Amino acid sequence: MKIGELAKKTGCRVVTIRYYEKEGLLPEPERTDGNYRVYTKTDIERLRFIRHCRHHDMKLAEIRELLALKDNPQADCTWVKEMIAGHIKAVNEQLASLNRLKTHLEHLLKACPDGREGGCGILKSLHEAAACPFCEDGRCQLRPDQAAHPGRKT
């Protein structure tokens, strides 16, 4: 099959398939006399594996190592468990960060009563962000258990 058909069967864009070839994740395909790339069922399976890994937020270098392991199933695979544990740790850190962001946004939402009396509390709070004791280098360090910014006038 040609590259367009491979793209349709895998849900992958043609440009991405070419990129994966360039990066060595997909082997260089055979070519027709007209210089068209020709792919096989094995390429479909490999590309689906790559896409599945990417959906799990794996880096290309990690996928390359996983493909090497897949091609050599007798090799030691203990590092895969460590890699996945590292991804879980990163996800937990992202969740904690998103929870802090949610808490901060909820505090901003509460800072603004309906109407225009006294101005918008959200704008005022955002303007005073430099004075926020939880913000450092432009990133709010508000802990989810904090009720409000101490000393902050809203």
Side-chain angles (χ1 to χ4, degrees), residues 19-152:
Y19 177 72
Y20 289 158
E21 286 174 13
K22 182 180 148 215
E23 290 297 313
L25 297 175
L26 285 174
E28 187 73 26
E30 296 289 323
R31 296 220 180 224
T32 66
D33 291 340
N35 205 29
Y36 288 102
R37 292 174 167 93
V38 179
Y39 298 92
T40 66
K41 184 179 177 185
T42 304
D43 295 312
I44 292 173
E45 292 170 5
R46 192 169 181 98
L47 186 53
R48 285 183 176 155
F49 179 86
I50 293 167
R51 289 182 48 84
H52 195 200
C53 291
R54 291 296 292 152
H55 286 295
H56 285 84
D57 207 25
M58 292 181 191
K59 298 174 183 149
L60 295 183
E62 293 170 330
I63 297 170
R64 193 174 289 111
E65 291 180 46
L66 288 169
L67 286 167
L69 178 63
K70 190 173 182 292
D71 293 340
N72 183 16
Q74 293 82 15
D76 180 32
C77 67
T78 54
W79 62 270
V80 178
K81 189 174 181 178
E82 294 169 7
M83 179 188 70
I84 296 301
H87 279 273
I88 291 169
K89 180 181 178 197
V91 167
N92 284 329
E93 289 169 358
Q94 289 175 336
L95 288 171
S97 177
L98 287 171
N99 279 323
R100 285 190 301 273
L101 175 61
K102 179 182 176 232
T103 299
H104 193 190
L105 291 172
E106 288 169 345
H107 289 283
L108 284 175
L109 189 60
K110 291 176 186 174
C112 193
D114 291 336
R116 295 195 44 92
E117 188 175 317
C120 179
I122 293 174
L123 290 177
K124 186 176 180 183
S125 291
L126 290 171
H127 179 74
E128 295 172 354
C132 175
F134 297 100
C135 293
E136 192 174 296
D137 297 328
R139 297 184 59 123
C140 188
Q141 304 300 314
L142 178 66
R143 295 190 321 265
D145 59 328
Q146 292 290 143
H149 284 123
R152 168 71 65 89

